[in-house]
Amino acid sequence: MFLFTTTYQGMVKKSPLSEIPGPSAQSFTMVKVNDGDELGWYHLTNGKDEVLLVTASGMAIRFSEEEVRGMGLVAAGVMGIKLQNDDYLIGATLIPSNGDVFLVATDGTAKRLNQKQFPRQGRYGQGVIAWKLPEDVQVAGVAAGKGTRRLTVDLAKMATKFIRIDEAPLQGRTARGKQIIDLKEGDRVTGLILPREFPRPAAKSNSQKPKRKTTPRSRAGSSSKKR
């Protein structure tokens, strides 16, 4: 298992979990972040997962994490995508075996894309155009998963919104998307969170269920059935 981290400037790093110290009161450096950059996302990976990076201008790149060698905690990592001008990342996600890619823009529009819309490329390329938006609108967040997965949408002024991935239409990379969040004047979408899902405990088999104690009927022959 590995810890895969991504910064806003597109720096990615893969660290073996064995490199991370155990429980301790002492802090440690998980990844060295360059000046002017910030750590944005982290994922637990199996070493062969596929990563999707998406930028504010609507560019996206998909590559295998096998292209990123394992590094120690003091390393800064390697570049995952070539950013143009003042562009920056708005999200990093793992491509699931089953599910779509969800994109939401700052104006409240969103769309779903089949993962086949994103061809696998080599790390540190320019990527492909995932969404062509007006100059005053940017991509605000990305998530991937089945349509029933719930997302948390952060807004600049209003309270957070909860939506499902399948509320956005399934479209291509050239499509404009659909308005799924009504915004008040001056408000905008600032980010997207995909809550982590934990597996539910398996139900006990019938053989493990405790036997119910039976109460003998009264001699008067009254029924135990409820009316």
Side-chain angles (χ1 to χ4, degrees), residues 62-138:
R62 174 181 182 176
F63 60 88
S64 172
E65 67 162 312
E66 292 183 288
E67 296 194 25
V68 183
R69 63 179 178 83
M71 306 177 196
L73 297 181
V74 297
V78 294
M79 292 300 298
I81 185 173
K82 291 181 180 179
L83 297 174
Q84 302 297 315
N85 301 324
D86 296 328
D87 204 4
Y88 59 92
L89 288 188
I90 54 82
T93 187
L94 303 181
I95 299 291
S97 58
N98 184 19
D100 300 319
V101 175
F102 175 94
L103 297 175
V104 63
T106 53
D107 64 352
T109 57
K111 66 178 180 178
R112 280 184 298 138
L113 302 97
N114 187 293
Q115 55 182 266
K116 294 181 181 179
Q117 292 277 325
F118 302 94
R120 181 191 289 185
Q121 299 177 291
R123 179 187 61 81
Y124 197 42
Q126 293 184 357
V128 297
I129 299 176
W131 203 354
K132 187 67 174 179
L133 292 167
E135 292 185 2
D136 58 340
V137 181
Q138 294 181 320

Side-chain angles (χ1 to χ4, degrees), residues 1 13 20 26 32 37 45 66 84 91 99 120 124 139 171 188 191:
M1 295 293 291
K13 178 185 172 184
I20 299 177
Q26 300 296 324
K32 182 180 178 182
D37 198 359
T45 65
E66 292 183 288
Q84 302 297 315
R120 181 191 289 185
Y124 197 42
V139 183
Q171 299 178 326
R188 62 187 178 88

Side-chain angles (χ1 to χ4, degrees), residues 156-169:
K157 296 182 179 180
M158 298 173 60
T160 57
K161 300 288 186 180
F162 298 95
I163 60 174
R164 292 188 0 164
I165 286 180
D166 58 10
E167 290 186 38

